[in-house]
Amino acid sequence: MTNLNCDREMSDDATLATFSKNGEIFTDDFIGLGSDFYFPYGDSKFTAFSVDDNEAYMGNASIRIDVPNADDPLGSYAGGIFRIDGAGRDLTDFDALTFWARSSQGVTIGEFGFGEDFFPNEYMVTMKDVSVGTQWTKYIIPIPDASKLLHERGMFRFAAGTNGTNGFGYTLWIDELRFEKLGTIAHGQASIENGNNVSETTFVGVNSRVEGVIATFNLPTGINQSVTISPSYMNFSSSNPSVASVDPSGLVTSLSAGTSVITATFGDTNATGSLTINCQGTFVHAPTPTRPQSNVISLFSDHYVNVPVNYYNGYWAPWQTTLSNDFSVNGDNILNYTIFNFVGIEFSSPTIDATAMTHVHLDAFIPGPIAPGRQLRVLLVDFGADGVYGGGDDTRHSTTFTATTSTAVVSQSWISINIPFSAMPGLVSRSHLAQLILEGGDSSVIYVDNIYFYN
């Protein structure tokens, strides 16, 4: 028998792939980024960025960002990324991204950062709400862990709007943009979930994500600078891996009934904050809809093609307490409303003509106990012929369900609600339907699925 060994020894002449260790990004011109390196955000003003040959902190030119007025039809803000058109850079020798900046007036810039390269954005760092004045000032964005930046393409990112300028635009200049080794940045302290101990109720197969990852560093200037960082800079652990696992990106997967606490370390330091997973076991799905697509106008269902919806939670201040913590179980998406008192779902762009439909349907599930007198109200709103809210021709109707109605409000079981339009005398028209509002919560939890009109 012949033994064919397919392993190959590396030639003495072979070399491993290496990446540039140049930290320079812009000094009078862009350095080593290639020809196609600027990518404005999709809803920003694409023409906001240019190179200004008449303004510089040092040398002859600077990056110029003309932040538009809030009502500019070409975009209400300026934002984008500078990404290397080609192989990334080895940034392991640096500890900060630095640059000089000034503005035509005192402003607060929403975001500066690096590490965004479209995919996978594994090592993003963002400095938020940065004050920039009219005089040139140096800014420092610390690198949380340079050992991870072996081939980074996302050199710089920014987002600048007009929230603090009454909607009026301004000009921002940036110069001497580079990665540096300052050597005077103290190792940071980090937190997950913004330093809070957060609990989340899940089911087997539900994915959650560790959020609110922040690191704080002491800069050479003496100030403590906090930055939002990608979870990949952290090391995560699960107190009960059989209940919930966590991967290096902070993605948590619920595996079985029980409780597990997700914590993290940043280097050798324990991060503050935690995520407790309370897995309830196997999820019971809502009844599968059987009506054909041709007889349905769907707002939310994985079984139909949904029409455009503005939002599933309007967060209508100041009275609403309801928050959203939606989840997906094996591809079945569920609206999860917590601290529920009422919630508005709006579909006004465009409104819906449901004159050919006869009913509205939704499935609701209340996992907790039902308090005495608990009600669940379904309110439909039509914006009238003008198609806008508050135009004087809006009509609405509210239908109330309790523990004693024919469709009873119960716990731990899906409630399939079907309301005929003929039972909604307050809804004078349904040719411009725009809102569905759920009311009657007691600050508990309610799951919702399969919201649609049908005939």
Side-chain angles (χ1 to χ4, degrees), residues 299-344:
L299 300 179
F300 183 87
S301 178
D302 292 304
H303 300 279
Y304 298 114
V305 176
N306 298 317
V307 298
V309 173
N310 300 56
Y311 48 75
Y312 293 103
N313 187 342
Y315 300 103
W316 292 340
W319 302 282
Q320 178 179 329
T321 62
T322 307
L323 301 177
S324 289
N325 190 21
D326 304 336
F327 59 87
S328 177
V329 184
N330 299 322
D332 184 13
N333 293 291
I334 306 296
L335 296 174
N336 177 18
Y337 296 119
T338 63
I339 324 178
F340 171 63
N341 64 340
F342 71 89
V343 65

Side-chain angles (χ1 to χ4, degrees), residues 299 311 316 344-348 351 379-383 389 394-396 427 432-437 453:
L299 300 179
Y311 48 75
W316 292 340
I345 300 171
E346 183 162 313
F347 36 96
S348 60
T351 58
L379 176 68
L380 271 175
V381 182
D382 187 286
F383 279 1
Y389 175 76
D394 300 5
T395 60
R396 63 187 62 205
L427 194 69
H432 295 88
L433 290 178
Q435 291 177 342
L436 187 149
I437 302 168
F453 307 109

Side-chain angles (χ1 to χ4, degrees), residues 55-252:
E55 177 70 30
Y57 167 72
M58 183 180 296
N60 303 310
S62 64
I63 298 170
R64 176 175 175 142
I65 308 297
D66 289 305
V67 180
N69 293 335
D71 59 358
D72 192 317
L74 298 181
S76 60
Y77 77 103
I81 70 174
F82 296 95
R83 185 190 70 162
I84 295 175
D85 181 15
R89 294 187 187 178
D90 181 346
L91 302 178
T92 55
D93 291 339
F94 306 107
D95 59 11
L97 172 69
T98 68
F99 58 93
W100 291 78
R102 81 172 192 89
S103 179
S104 56
Q105 65 183 82
V107 294
T108 299
I109 304 300
E111 295 183 354
F112 288 126
F114 64 89
E116 185 173 8
D117 56 7
F118 293 143
F119 183 82
N121 298 334
E122 191 172 8
Y123 297 114
M124 281 181 60
V125 178
T126 303
M127 184 167 64
K128 297 184 177 182
D129 299 327
V130 183
S131 296
V132 178
T134 58
Q135 301 298 313
W136 284 104
T137 303
K138 187 174 184 178
Y139 295 87
I140 300 171
I141 304 178
I143 298 176
D145 183 353
S147 68
K148 296 180 180 293
L149 305 183
L150 297 171
H151 44 82
E152 181 59 55
R153 297 179 68 196
M155 295 290 98
F156 185 64
R157 60 183 298 270
F158 71 95
T162 57
N163 287 342
T165 61
N166 294 318
F168 293 103
Y170 52 90
T171 300
L172 171 70
W173 291 274
I174 298 168
D175 200 4
E176 302 301 306
L177 176 62
R178 59 172 59 90
F179 289 96
E180 288 192 69
K181 178 68 173 181
L182 299 177
T184 51
I185 296 178
H187 182 73
Q189 302 292 318
S191 62
I192 63 174
E193 302 295 342
N194 296 309
N196 299 313
N197 296 316
V198 175
S199 294
E200 186 172 317
T201 299
T202 67
F203 298 89
V204 172
V206 171
N207 289 327
S208 309
R209 188 168 290 280
V210 177
E211 298 180 336
V213 184
I214 298 172
T216 302
F217 300 83
N218 185 258
L219 301 184
T221 57
I223 69 170
N224 290 324
Q225 178 63 60
S226 293
V227 289
T228 300
I229 66 176
S230 293
S232 297
Y233 282 107
M234 312 292 286
N235 295 306
F236 295 100
S237 62
S238 170
S239 67
N240 195 342
S242 65
V243 170
S245 64
V246 57
D247 74 5
S249 71
L251 182 67
V252 181

